[in-house]
Amino acid sequence: LSDRVEGAFRAGSVGAEAIWFISKNASALGGGDARYAIQLLLAAGLMADRDGSPRILPEHVREAQERMDPRIDREDLLELSREERDALLAIAKALRIMEEAFYAPIEAVWGYYKLVCEGRGAEPIGKDSFAAILGKLKALGIVDIEEGAGVSLQLMRAKALEEFLEAGS
């Protein structure tokens, strides 16, 4: 994938973290197929070009993944518990604010989760229960958790998820 980047993109337009994230998605979601990774890279590059961005950002990769290989629909999200949707909303908010981060630190997501609960006038669940919810969301394939990096969305754009969850609240 790095060789393709060198031959097809301007220098500095695709960072090492973007290559790693695309490779990780291709491994997890595309069965390790190099063509899948190349398609995802191309689609993310087109999204960046459309937005006038000088480089591929995490949202470009997420949007490319969402369009290229949709795996979660809105009905799936509505079937989640209130706490699970609040946790997802916190992840989306953290990633949207940290727009250049592929992963948000779990502590930052925890802080956004408490703000989401406060905005609803609800009491947040405890940290252990929150960690269990993140584990369930990972098992469902909705989020990815990387040791030392944090939590990420692979299958959908943070902004679109945030808007959908806030509209459904």
Side-chain angles (χ1 to χ4, degrees):
L1 197 57
S2 295
D3 290 342
R4 293 293 178 124
V5 167
E6 285 181 28
F9 289 85
R10 285 184 298 250
S13 63
V14 185
E17 194 173 8
I19 293 170
W20 175 78
F21 191 70
I22 290 169
S23 297
K24 186 172 170 73
N25 278 12
S27 176
L29 306 170
D33 186 346
R35 289 172 296 202
Y36 188 96
I38 291 166
Q39 281 185 302
L40 187 54
L41 173 65
L42 172 62
L46 292 171
M47 304 293 165
D49 193 47
R50 175 204 64 206
D51 292 346
S53 177
R55 47 190 226 292
I56 292 177
L57 297 172
E59 279 292 91
H60 297 133
V61 179
R62 290 185 195 107
E63 181 178 4
Q65 183 70 54
E66 182 179 1
R67 289 175 183 246
M68 194 174 103
D69 189 9
R71 293 180 181 228
I72 294 178
D73 59 37
R74 297 181 190 280
E75 289 78 33
D76 294 332
L77 299 174
L78 294 174
E79 290 179 10
L80 297 173
S81 71
R82 177 82 249 176
E83 290 82 11
E84 292 162 345
R85 288 193 314 270
D86 287 349
L88 263 182
L89 180 55
I91 295 165
K93 284 180 175 297
L95 290 169
R96 188 184 52 75
I97 297 294
M98 306 164 78
E99 66 181 23
E100 296 198 20
F102 284 90
Y103 285 80
I106 291 178
E107 281 301 316
V109 174
W110 171 250
Y112 281 104
Y113 170 75
K114 290 190 293 188
L115 290 173
V116 166
C117 290
E118 183 181 303
R120 280 194 319 104
E123 189 68 30
I125 59 175
K127 261 188 160 179
D128 290 340
S129 297
F130 183 75
I133 284 176
L134 293 181
K136 180 180 178 188
L137 294 173
K138 180 179 180 171
L140 291 171
I142 298 172
V143 303
D144 183 46
I145 301 172
E146 185 70 30
E147 189 71 35
V151 62
S152 185
L153 300 169
Q154 289 178 292
L155 304 173
M156 63 199 96
R157 292 170 290 146
K159 182 178 180 183
L161 179 60
E162 179 181 17
E163 290 170 355
F164 174 75
L165 291 172
E166 285 181 336
S169 294

